[in-house]
């Protein structure tokens, strides 16, 4: 117990002594990569989902310490050992709101695949946008679990169309409805802080995860995107689109709905 406590104190001392305070906070990369630095933990997005690390700061180097375990041994004798991988990033603060990480070296098992360089801005420094929202289309497929297979389209007046196939009970079939003013206002607020101009057009695919399709129409332009893994920064819009159909007052129709996709 005392040894564990001493280790925590040691990490906190190192981090406060070598620049933790200036790195603390949430940072967003130029491709919407997510980085959070706080206490004794770093969350960093290498491949469209945040990896968790212990860390220390030494001079101008951010050293990420894997806290995972991996299995080893033989078929008859499998056991787990700590992953001792270290990721060394040289960091440079361009100013208080702009950060650059450069991969210096990786020692141990390469369990993640970082890029050579990341450029970040503090999330709090991102400028608020006011898009001219026109419409949004979203579809999702099933997965190895109970991911809903569905399509939904919403326009600037809140008019909505919905098609539910699997795992969308009680809404299985074709429906039309309208969002309340609060539901529509929340959608636009989320889109305003989603950095749509930087939303990736090609998302990573994973075979056991749903395949999403997005069509954002705003400011008289169109942004399309497909894949499985959206940036962590954009999970808010995904969660909204996957759940809002449960809150809308729908009218079921007996014809196949045409979506503007």
């Amino acid at each position: 117990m005392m040894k564990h406590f001493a280790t925590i104190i040691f990490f906190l001392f190192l981090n406060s002594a070598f620049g933790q305070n200036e790195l603390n906070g949430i940072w967003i990369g130029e491709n919407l990569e997510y980085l959070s630095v706080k206490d004794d933990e770093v969350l960093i997005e290498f491949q469209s989902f945040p990896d968790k690390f212990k860390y220390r700061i030494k001079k101008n180097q951010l050293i990420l310490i894997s806290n995972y375990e991996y299995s080893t041994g033989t078929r008859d004798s499998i056991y787990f050992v700590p992953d001792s991988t270290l990721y060394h990033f040289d960091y440079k603060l361009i100013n208080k709101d702009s950060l650059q990480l450069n991969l210096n070296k990786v020692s141990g098992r390469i369990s993640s695949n970082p890029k050579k360089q990341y450029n970040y801005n503090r999330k709090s420094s991102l400028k608020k946008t006011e898009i001219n929202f026109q419409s949004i289309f979203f579809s999702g497929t099933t997965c190895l679990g109970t991911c809903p297979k569905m399509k939904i389209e919403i326009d600037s007046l809140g008019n909505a169309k919905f098609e539910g196939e699997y795992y969308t009970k009680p809404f299985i079939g074709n429906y039309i409805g309208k969002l309340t003013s609060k539901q529509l206002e929340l959608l636009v607020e989320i889109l305003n802080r989603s950095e749509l101009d930087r939303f990736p057009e090609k998302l990573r695919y994973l075979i056991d995860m749903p395949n999403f399709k997005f069509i954002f129409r705003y400011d008289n332009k169109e942004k399309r995107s497909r894949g499985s893994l959206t940036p962590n920064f954009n999970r808010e819009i995904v969660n909204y689109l996957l759940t809002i159909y449960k809150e809308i007052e729908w009218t079921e129709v007996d014809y196949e709905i045409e979506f503007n996709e």
Side-chain angles (χ1 to χ4, degrees), residues 14-24 37 57 59 91 93:
L14 273 181
N15 291 342
S16 61
F18 291 106
Q20 179 200 15
N21 290 339
E22 60 187 10
L23 294 186
N24 265 351
V37 183
I57 294 172
K59 297 184 179 178
Y91 76 84
L93 277 168

Side-chain angles (χ1 to χ4, degrees), residues 4 13 20 37 41 86 89 101 111 128 139 143 160 166 201 206 215 228 244:
H4 178 66
F13 170 75
Q20 179 200 15
V37 183
E41 181 179 274
L86 299 177
F89 286 92
L101 293 185
S111 55
K128 183 180 178 181
S139 68
C143 60
Y166 299 106
E201 295 182 7
L206 287 184
I215 305 176
S228 302
I244 189 59

Side-chain angles (χ1 to χ4, degrees), residues 216-228:
F216 304 102
R217 296 182 174 95
Y218 63 102
D219 297 341
N220 295 317
K221 57 188 176 184
E222 181 178 277
K223 167 64 73 75
R224 291 174 174 261
S225 178
R226 296 194 75 148
S228 302

Side-chain angles (χ1 to χ4, degrees), residues 25-49:
I26 297 176
W27 302 81
I28 304 300
E30 57 189 350
N31 295 311
L32 300 183
E33 303 96 337
Y34 182 88
L35 169 67
S36 170
V37 183
K38 67 175 183 178
D39 301 330
D40 65 339
E41 181 179 274
V42 163
L43 288 176
I44 185 167
E45 191 171 26
F46 289 145
Q47 299 187 52
S48 299
F49 51 88

Side-chain angles (χ1 to χ4, degrees), residues 152-193:
I152 189 168
E153 186 173 342
I154 303 168
D155 70 16
S156 61
L157 298 177
N159 298 310
K161 307 173 185 177
F162 180 79
E163 178 186 296
E165 291 192 51
Y166 299 106
Y167 305 116
T168 60
K169 288 183 178 181
F171 304 111
I172 302 295
N174 297 283
Y175 298 84
I176 57 173
K178 188 162 186 173
L179 277 65
T180 66
S181 58
K182 288 187 177 180
Q183 290 169 339
L184 181 59
E185 181 180 326
L186 177 58
L187 171 60
V188 175
E189 285 179 4
I190 293 173
L191 293 174
N192 278 339
R193 55 178 176 256

Side-chain angles (χ1 to χ4, degrees), residues 92-104:
K92 180 180 180 181
L93 277 168
I94 312 302
N95 54 56
K96 68 182 182 67
D97 291 324
S98 183
L99 169 67
Q100 184 180 96
L101 293 185
N102 292 282
L103 183 63
N104 183 297

